[in-house]
Amino acid sequence: MARRNKIYEGKAKILYEGPEPGTLVQYFKDDATAFNAAKKDVIEGKGVLNNRLSEFFMTGLNNIGVPTHFIKRLNMREQLVRACEIIPLEVIVRNYAAGSLSTRLGIEEGTPLPRPIVEYCYKDDKLGDPLVSEEHIAAFGWASQQDMDDIVSLALRVNDFMSGVMMAVGIRLVDFKIEIGRVYEGDFQRLVVADEISPDSCRLWDLKTGQKLDKDVFRRDLGSLTDAYTEVARRLGIMPEHGQGGAKPTLIN
Ligand code: UDP
């Protein structure tokens, strides 16, 4: 394959120039990072699993009319996506207390929340992605009031969809993070769900046992991350093309 133009390399993915204007190729790496990259490892097969899982969730969202950047999966580690301008916010939706919310407010992990709570963090690794309010977002012009209305509506629709899909396979969607992109269509712009949706960006607990099936397995050293993600993929009826979790993934040149 011809060498492509690398547009951006992040912690878990690489973006290359796409085959058509307005498209990008999103490559899923095996790198795992946590605590703002203070903890790092390479987990063989993770990229293959996340590529498949994100394809599954994004396709489902597209099918119910929630716009995403996802166009199609290209191979084991790559997908074709629409190029968009990423709004510099991590949009977090929580159904149960966990992680930083539990720490910040002293609420025991697993406590059901009275309603889904939407939070925003400003995307800046140097600052450790600090929590921000809608006041900050408006004052610093990161998103308009119309954008914020659309972002909340998208986030809650993703929450309903993901909660239902996971509940059907015996998994509780505790919380998740999405990123939102702006795409331009002629004189118009609209917001779409971008980046990825995978166990790297969600908290997923087995409904019966409470077993963690997400990146907390890596963050908290709870066992094999590939086994956890493979279990999610297995329950959803998605398996990588070449066996268990793509333990021997075909690398793309
Ligand atoms: N999350 C993420 N990327 C981040 C921060 C959080 O994908 O940079 C996800 C995380 O996996 C969890 C949710 O957002 O599903 C809420 O994370 P939290 O604020 O509790 O932060 P953490 O405990 O991960 O530091």
Side-chain angles (χ1 to χ4, degrees), residues 199-238:
D200 267 10
S201 52
C202 301
R203 282 198 170 89
L204 303 170
W205 295 356
D206 181 86
L207 260 185
K208 288 208 191 88
T209 65
Q211 187 193 350
K212 294 183 178 19
L213 298 169
D214 55 60
K215 204 162 105 177
D216 275 347
V217 171
F218 171 72
R219 291 190 192 99
R220 304 179 188 188
D221 296 318
L222 300 176
S224 158
L225 193 73
T226 333
D227 286 356
Y229 288 19
T230 303
E231 176 60 13
V232 176
R234 189 193 64 75
R235 290 200 201 180
L236 292 168
I238 314 160

Side-chain angles (χ1 to χ4, degrees), residues 90 92 94 98-101 104 119 129 175-177 200-203 219:
E90 300 202 326
I92 292 171
R94 302 176 181 276
S100 69
L101 178 90
R104 207 182 322 126
E119 290 177 348
D129 299 338
D175 57 30
F176 64 92
K177 182 259 319 185
D200 267 10
S201 52
C202 301
R203 282 198 170 89
R219 291 190 192 99

Side-chain angles (χ1 to χ4, degrees), residues 149-223:
D149 293 347
D150 293 347
I151 289 172
V152 171
S153 151
L154 282 173
L156 293 177
R157 290 182 76 192
V158 172
N159 187 40
D160 284 347
F161 173 77
M162 293 287 297
S163 294
V165 167
M166 299 317 298
M167 186 63 69
V169 296
I171 294 174
R172 185 185 304 290
L173 178 67
V174 173
D175 57 30
F176 64 92
K177 182 259 319 185
I178 51 172
E179 294 187 21
I180 304 289
R182 227 183 267 289
V183 295
Y184 294 94
E185 285 157 2
D187 287 343
F188 297 96
Q189 57 134 341
R190 63 184 183 131
L191 301 186
V192 301
V193 178
D195 190 50
E196 72 177 285
I197 302 180
S198 76
D200 267 10
S201 52
C202 301
R203 282 198 170 89
L204 303 170
W205 295 356
D206 181 86
L207 260 185
K208 288 208 191 88
T209 65
Q211 187 193 350
K212 294 183 178 19
L213 298 169
D214 55 60
K215 204 162 105 177
D216 275 347
V217 171
F218 171 72
R219 291 190 192 99
R220 304 179 188 188
D221 296 318
L222 300 176

Side-chain angles (χ1 to χ4, degrees), residues 6 8-15 27 29 31 33 125:
K6 192 193 278 189
Y8 175 79
E9 177 154 6
K11 290 183 287 241
K13 296 186 294 296
I14 306 174
L15 288 174
Y27 175 95
K29 301 194 281 187
D31 301 26
T33 60
D125 282 342

